[in-house]
């Protein structure tokens, strides 16, 4: 099977390795890819904000499967264009991608499907905004309705700040604050069946102890030894299955990866958000742990063939730590030189924002690398990830030192 993988981040690097490890994948192409992906796949320098360029490449390659990494091409409707040409694609239609593209739409579908989430108001005027803020009180949760590249959500005790953010959005969702640990749980769907993956936890804040700004994610780990043992079943029953049924009933079936961002509150599971693609950096811990051959799995997802599939996992743990450029997430400095990457057993270094120039590897994005360690438990996986990342130098760069720390301590106590 010839596969075209669209995207250029750490997530795509991990997906690419997973796809290639499946013997069913005989040829792997990436668009545009990155220097890490280029070590094992053929990269094509196209503009992935252009549906026409993605479609033309898939046709030229005669791809048997197209896997879309990032949300933007999905929200742009590239999956519809590919399906129209009968090219199997793992990724939702434009209509189904609105689950990530519009928070109001996601709330409507959740409401119709009976999926538990925070109470919310969608507002467009200052009067509505102030009423909603005062209805819930602090901490205030204010979300830009549209795609905002991870910068759309403000959670604050400060009413002024909440109001200012809300007024800066065209349409804004103001919602109840959910108290409890956050979990990312992904479902792989062919439109009617959905398979729940094992949960992961992402670290969204820039600095240790969850201080600093919200980011795209500074690290992740899986499995979650502290989570309730029925979390996967509960999420399947209360969230994933009803969402797939509701999207079907609306005539806009969801094919692809449904990412449920959950809060585990005292009152049970609540959905914080949906994304319509693999999470980054959660993918960098889940793919190394997944035993089920990935290319076959995603092909089945793309071709309504998942009903008999069961996911299998390695009995190991994985921890990923993100190396971020100075100034991330507000004003990341690009252009820094990255030292030679170490080769360590049970460690995978995924490229997230890099390019090669005459002098070697250069940082091109806020999140530069994502370093995953795999081990028999979280402590071993952590040690490996941190040993590797400590050997990489990029002037001004930083990483969190507490990724999976509490969970590794909790695991030891079990
Ligand atoms: P989102 O982009 O919706 O994932 O929001 C980014 C982050 O804001 C989440 O990972 C949470 O940490 C926080 N957040 C979003 N919604 C809520 C909520 N209703 N209650 C508490 N925290 C939230
Ligand atoms: N890890 C958060 C995201 O992928 O959106």
């Amino acid at each position: 099977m010839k596969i075209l993988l669209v995207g250029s981040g750490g997530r795509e690097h991990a997906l690419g390795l997973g796809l290639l490890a499946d013997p069913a994948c005989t040829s792997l192409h990436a668009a545009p890819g990155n220097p890490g992906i280029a070590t094992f796949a053929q990269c094509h320098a196209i503009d992935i904000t252009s549906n026409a360029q993605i479609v033309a490449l898939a046709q030229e390659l005669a791809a048997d499967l197209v896997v879309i990494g990032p949300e933007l091409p999905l929200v742009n409707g590239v999956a519809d264009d590919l399906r129209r040409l009968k090219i199997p694609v793992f990724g939702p239609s434009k209509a189904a991608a609105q689950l990530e593209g519009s928070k109001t739409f996601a709330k409507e579908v959740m409401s119709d499907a009976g999926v538990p989430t925070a109470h919310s108001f969608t507002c467009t005027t200052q009067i509505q905004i102030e009423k909603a803020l005062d209805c819930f009180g602090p901490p205030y949760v204010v979300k830009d309705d549209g795609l905002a590249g991870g910068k759309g959500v403000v959670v604050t005790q400060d009413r002024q700040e909440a109001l200012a953010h809300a007024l800066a959005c065209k349409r804004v969702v103001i919602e109840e604050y959910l108290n409890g640990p956050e979990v990312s749980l992904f479902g792989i769907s062919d439109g009617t069946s959905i398979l729940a993956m094992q949960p992961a936890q992402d670290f969204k804040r820039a600095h240790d102890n969850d201080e600093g700004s919200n980011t795209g994610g500074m690290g992740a780990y899986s499995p979650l030894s502290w989570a309730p043992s029925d979390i996967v079943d509960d999420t399947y029953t209360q969230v994933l299955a009803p969402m797939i049924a509701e999207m079907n009933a609306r005539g806009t079936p969801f094919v692809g990866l449904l990412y449920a961002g959950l809060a585990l509150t005292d009152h049970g599971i609540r959905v914080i958000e949906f994304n319509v693609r693999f999470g980054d950096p959660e993918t960098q811990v889940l793919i190394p742990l997944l035993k089920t051959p990935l290319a076959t799995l995603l092909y089945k997802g793309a071709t309504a063939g998942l009903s008999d599939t069961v996911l299998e996992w390695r009995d190991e743990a994985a921890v990923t730590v993100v190396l971020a450029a100075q100034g991330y997430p507000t004003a990341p400095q690009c252009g820094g030189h990255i030292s030679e990457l170490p080769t360590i057993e049970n460690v995978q270094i995924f490229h997230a924002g890099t390019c090669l120039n005459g002098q070697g590897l250069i940082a091109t994005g806020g999140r530069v690398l994502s370093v995953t360690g795999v081990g028999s438990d979280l402590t071993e996986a952590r040690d490996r990830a941190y040993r590797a990342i400590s050997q990489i130098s990029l002037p001004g760069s930083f990483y969190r030192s507490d990724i999976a720390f509490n969970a590794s301590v909790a695991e030891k106590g079990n």
Side-chain angles (χ1 to χ4, degrees):
M1 167 166 44
K2 189 182 271 187
I3 302 179
L4 171 60
L5 171 64
V6 176
S8 62
R11 163 185 52 210
E12 287 77 23
H13 190 164
L15 288 171
L17 280 180
L19 292 167
L20 204 64
D22 181 347
C25 174
T26 49
S27 155
L28 183 62
H29 294 257
N34 65 36
I37 297 172
T39 61
F40 57 82
Q42 194 178 334
C43 291
H44 303 264
I46 63 163
D47 173 8
I48 64 164
T49 65
S50 158
N51 288 359
Q53 290 192 30
I54 296 174
V55 171
L57 180 60
Q59 281 185 301
E60 185 192 316
L61 295 171
D64 301 297
L65 173 67
V66 181
V67 176
I68 313 285
E71 61 275 19
L72 194 66
L74 295 167
V75 172
N76 287 344
V78 75
D80 306 76
D81 295 349
L82 290 162
R83 280 194 192 104
R84 227 171 274 128
L85 297 168
K86 307 253 177 302
I87 301 172
V89 50
F90 186 78
S93 65
K94 181 174 188 156
Q98 282 304 302
L99 285 178
E100 177 164 356
S102 163
K103 303 223 183 257
T104 305
F105 175 74
K107 287 284 186 192
E108 276 169 24
V109 179
M110 281 190 268
S111 166
D112 290 352
V115 168
T117 184
H119 295 294
S120 69
F121 296 106
T122 298
C123 311
T124 48
T125 67
Q126 180 158 356
I127 293 173
Q128 291 171 342
I129 290 168
E130 299 218 31
K131 221 166 129 187
L133 290 175
D134 295 334
C135 168
F136 294 123
Y140 302 101
V141 181
V142 181
K143 302 185 171 186
D144 194 331
D145 182 58
L147 279 188
K151 293 191 183 135
V153 178
V154 165
V155 180
T156 177
Q157 296 282 347
D158 180 347
R159 191 177 181 284
Q160 272 308 103
E161 188 191 350
L163 180 62
H165 181 60
L167 290 173
C169 304
K170 229 162 111 192
R171 211 151 82 120
V172 66
V173 174
I174 294 178
E175 68 179 33
E176 169 196 12
Y177 178 79
L178 297 172
N179 203 0
E182 282 181 47
V183 168
S184 304
L185 207 147
F186 302 166
I188 295 181
S189 180
D190 64 4
T192 43
S193 304
I194 184 158
L195 306 176
M197 298 183 83
Q198 72 180 31
Q201 193 169 43
D202 176 20
F203 291 73
K204 290 239 165 77
R205 299 283 181 154
H207 302 295
D208 283 4
N209 304 315
D210 291 332
E211 285 168 15
S213 325
N214 249 328
T215 71
M218 293 297 292
Y221 68 94
S222 184
L224 313 183
S225 54
W226 54 268
S229 58
D230 45 10
I231 183 174
V232 175
D233 290 346
D234 282 357
T235 305
Y236 176 84
T237 314
Q238 295 178 37
V239 179
L240 299 178
M243 287 300 288
I244 293 306
E246 175 60 27
M247 292 303 282
N248 239 325
R250 290 171 170 242
T252 51
F254 185 96
V255 173
L257 192 293
L258 184 62
Y259 168 136
L262 307 170
L264 307 187
T265 74
D266 290 345
H267 309 289
I269 292 172
R270 297 285 181 275
V271 173
I272 292 185
E273 63 159 350
F274 284 113
N275 293 317
V276 298
R277 37 81 193 166
F278 281 93
D280 190 339
E282 294 95 322
T283 302
Q284 290 91 306
V285 291
L286 290 171
I287 296 302
L289 296 176
L290 183 67
K291 265 207 258 181
T292 313
L294 187 65
T296 309
L297 178 66
L298 300 190
Y299 184 78
K300 285 181 178 173
T303 55
L306 279 180
S307 58
D308 299 329
T309 310
V310 179
L311 295 184
E312 287 187 89
W313 297 92
R314 286 180 217 293
D315 189 16
E316 289 180 305
V319 173
T320 199
V321 183
V322 168
L323 182 80
Q326 183 172 4
Y328 178 70
T330 1
Q333 280 186 22
C334 297
H337 182 260
I338 305 162
S339 63
E340 197 178 325
L341 301 179
T343 312
I344 297 178
E345 221 182 319
N346 294 305
V347 170
Q348 291 175 347
I349 300 178
F350 300 111
H351 292 237
T354 70
C355 76
L356 275 173
N357 76 2
Q359 280 112 55
L361 207 54
I362 302 294
T364 57
R367 293 191 291 178
V368 179
L369 297 166
S370 164
V371 180
T372 298
V374 176
S376 58
D377 58 13
L378 286 173
T379 304
E380 193 174 57
R382 255 189 118 241
D383 286 349
R384 288 180 172 150
Y386 276 109
R387 183 146 47 92
I389 203 168
S390 70
Q391 292 175 31
I392 303 170
S393 87
L394 164 66
S397 66
F398 68 98
Y399 56 87
R400 277 182 66 156
S401 69
D402 63 348
I403 304 298
F405 177 72
N406 290 338
S408 69
V409 173
E411 187 183 62
K412 286 256 174 299
N414 277 345

